[in-house]
Amino acid sequence: MEWLEEVARILLRPVINGAFFLGLAFIFYIVGGFLGIRLGVVHLPYSFLSLQTDPVFNLLAASIGILVCVGASALLFLTYLNDYINPGNDIVILCSCIGFGFGAGVLRITAPFLIDLLL
């Protein structure tokens, strides 16, 4: 199980950094797009923030969903593979399961449009 723990440790750092930068890009896209449309500067050929037509929104959301799933899984594995008993482990396990469910839910919602976009 040492290799699994090492893989989880290696994955955790880029996942945290990637989620941070993709989160910033997501917020910038939402705020910038809203302001651009409101001021009349931006005219998009699709509905802004639509789950059925907005490719940038769906791609950013799916990317964040994947990173959340991978990060929550890595944290869950690291918590389970530790040998010592820590009172905070129950909270970490609960939050990791909730995070994984959130990421999987985002992927479930954005996957049909992304599959149509790629095919």
Side-chain angles (χ1 to χ4, degrees):
M1 287 296 170
E2 290 180 12
W3 66 271
L4 188 59
E5 188 173 357
E6 191 62 32
V7 168
R9 284 182 204 266
I10 290 171
L11 281 177
L12 207 53
R13 175 73 61 184
V15 164
I16 292 171
N17 292 337
F20 175 73
F21 288 117
L22 278 175
L24 284 178
F26 193 66
I27 290 171
F28 179 72
Y29 177 71
I30 291 172
V31 171
F34 178 74
L35 289 176
I37 289 172
R38 197 64 138 162
L39 295 174
V41 178
V42 177
H43 301 287
L44 299 173
Y46 48 82
S47 296
F48 181 65
L49 298 181
S50 170
L51 284 172
Q52 288 79 26
T53 59
D54 192 346
V56 178
F57 176 74
N58 281 307
L59 190 62
L60 285 172
S63 300
I64 291 173
I66 289 170
L67 287 177
V68 167
C69 283
V70 171
S73 299
L75 193 59
L76 191 64
F77 280 130
L78 285 174
T79 303
Y80 273 130
L81 293 176
N82 282 333
D83 291 333
Y84 59 90
I85 303 298
N86 187 355
N89 281 351
D90 294 337
I91 295 172
V92 172
I93 291 169
L94 177 67
C95 290
S96 295
C97 291
I98 291 171
F100 187 84
F102 171 76
V106 168
L107 283 175
R108 170 70 175 96
I109 291 172
T110 58
F113 177 74
L114 291 177
I115 290 171
D116 289 342
L117 183 68
L118 293 175
L119 298 177

